[in-house]
């Protein structure tokens, strides 16, 4: 089974959703046959290359409610073992990071890409790292197992840029308008950082559908596994 996760590095719900999906996958009996790949999506594609404080940017965009927004996701993060530090977090353009994730998947495989994704999310949300900075990205990539010279040369040019933009466009064509969005076997999608139990139910349902067996007792079809009606691609 292939699961493609459209998400952004600067999306707190993508971090929460990643953790919850991983919990579900760990409980899934067929986990060894599941390939997970991260796909790019930019919530703020026109973000400047020069990073700025997250708090100031969010307040400008959403007003006074921005404080409550951060507080809510911070509390949710704690339940998933995530430390959100929005006081030090930086608002940054994530395109370079998505290019780096593309390189990791193309040349090192999905498992290394997943390690890098975790490091990028942690750096952005917990450590106040500018994930739009080439030097910082290179260090994170090396920590994930990528070759330093390869990464430095890659980020210095435009290699992978066309591929990443094509994948972003592919997400739009699929109808993805919010992240995270989890697409199973290119047929079914679950939007949002759902609870681990929901993800587990979808994994079981998709496995049953693709195997041509009956849906597990008590379940529904995979496309109807979400309550918000946004599951079908």
């Amino acid at each position: 089974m292939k699961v493609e996760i459209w998400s952004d590095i600067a999306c707190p719900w993508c971090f929460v959703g990643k953790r919850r999906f991983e919990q579900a996958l760990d409980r899934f009996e067929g986990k060894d046959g599941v390939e997970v790949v991260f796909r790019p999506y930019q919530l703020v594609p026109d973000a400047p290359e020069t990073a700025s404080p997250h708090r100031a940017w969010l307040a400008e965009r959403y007003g006074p409610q921005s404080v409550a927004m951060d507080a809510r996701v911070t509390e949710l993060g704690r339940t998933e073992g995530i430390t959100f530090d929005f006081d030090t977090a930086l608002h940054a353009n994530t395109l370079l990071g998505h290019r780096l994730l593309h390189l990791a998947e193309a040349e090192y495989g999905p498992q290394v890409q997943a390690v890098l994704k975790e490091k990028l999310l942690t750096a952005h949300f917990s450590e106040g790292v500018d994930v739009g900075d080439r030097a910082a990205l290179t260090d994170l990539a090396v920590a994930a197992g990528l070759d330093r010279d390869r990464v430095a040369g890659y980020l210095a040019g435009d290699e992978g840029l066309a591929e990443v933009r094509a994948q972003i466009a592919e997400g739009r064509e699929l109808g993805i308008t919010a992240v995270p969005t989890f697409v199973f076997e290119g047929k079914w999608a679950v939007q949002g950082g759902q609870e681990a139990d929901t993800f587990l139910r979808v994994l079981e349902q998709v496995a049953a559908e693709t195997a041509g067996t009956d849906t597990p007792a008590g379940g529904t079809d995979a496309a109807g596994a979400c309550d918000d009606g946004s599951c079908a691609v």
Side-chain angles (χ1 to χ4, degrees):
M1 181 194 307
K2 187 170 185 177
V3 183
E4 295 171 282
I5 305 175
W6 263 265
S7 67
D8 196 2
I9 299 161
C11 165
W13 279 103
C14 293
F15 205 172
V16 172
K18 178 179 181 293
R19 287 289 177 85
R20 289 176 172 177
F21 178 77
E22 288 169 346
Q23 293 169 22
L25 187 60
D26 189 56
R27 293 159 53 192
F28 179 52
E29 290 185 1
K31 62 182 178 182
D32 291 340
V34 178
E35 178 186 38
V36 180
V37 177
F38 289 92
R39 299 300 186 202
Y41 189 99
Q42 285 194 283
L43 290 169
V44 190
D46 59 349
E49 292 187 7
T50 301
S52 61
H54 161 83
R55 292 282 199 193
W57 170 79
L58 200 69
E60 182 180 350
R61 184 164 186 173
Y62 294 106
Q65 65 177 323
S66 63
V67 176
M69 291 167 62
D70 279 348
R72 180 190 178 203
V73 78
T74 297
E75 185 59 33
L76 284 171
R78 288 194 189 100
T79 67
E80 307 302 335
I82 301 170
T83 301
F84 285 107
D85 185 355
F86 290 112
D87 288 329
T88 63
L90 297 172
H91 173 57
N93 194 295
T94 58
L95 186 59
L96 280 175
H98 286 303
R99 283 180 54 210
L100 194 56
L101 287 165
H102 172 73
L103 174 68
E105 192 251 329
E107 297 190 4
Y108 293 83
Q111 291 184 339
V112 172
Q113 187 198 41
V115 172
L116 177 59
K117 180 74 171 185
E118 179 76 17
K119 289 187 179 298
L120 288 169
L121 289 166
T122 300
H124 176 67
F125 286 111
S126 305
E127 300 170 352
V129 174
D130 178 2
V131 294
D133 178 75
R134 286 174 172 79
L137 287 172
T138 300
D139 288 342
L140 290 168
V142 171
L146 280 68
D147 178 77
R148 181 176 293 276
D149 290 340
R150 174 69 177 118
V151 170
Y154 178 86
L155 291 178
D158 290 333
E159 188 178 355
L161 179 59
E163 290 83 354
V164 167
R165 284 179 170 163
Q167 289 179 3
I168 292 173
E170 179 186 353
R172 294 196 194 99
E173 291 173 1
L174 287 172
I176 295 172
T177 57
V179 286
T181 295
F182 301 73
V183 179
F184 298 77
E185 287 291 284
K187 296 180 179 180
W188 303 282
V190 172
Q191 186 180 82
Q194 304 290 330
E195 297 290 343
D197 287 346
T198 298
F199 283 128
L200 178 59
R201 186 166 71 250
V202 174
L203 284 164
E204 293 171 342
Q205 292 167 353
V206 172
E209 289 279 352
T210 55
T213 58
D214 292 335
T215 300
T220 61
D221 64 273
C226 290
D227 294 331
D228 62 4
S230 62
C231 293
V233 174

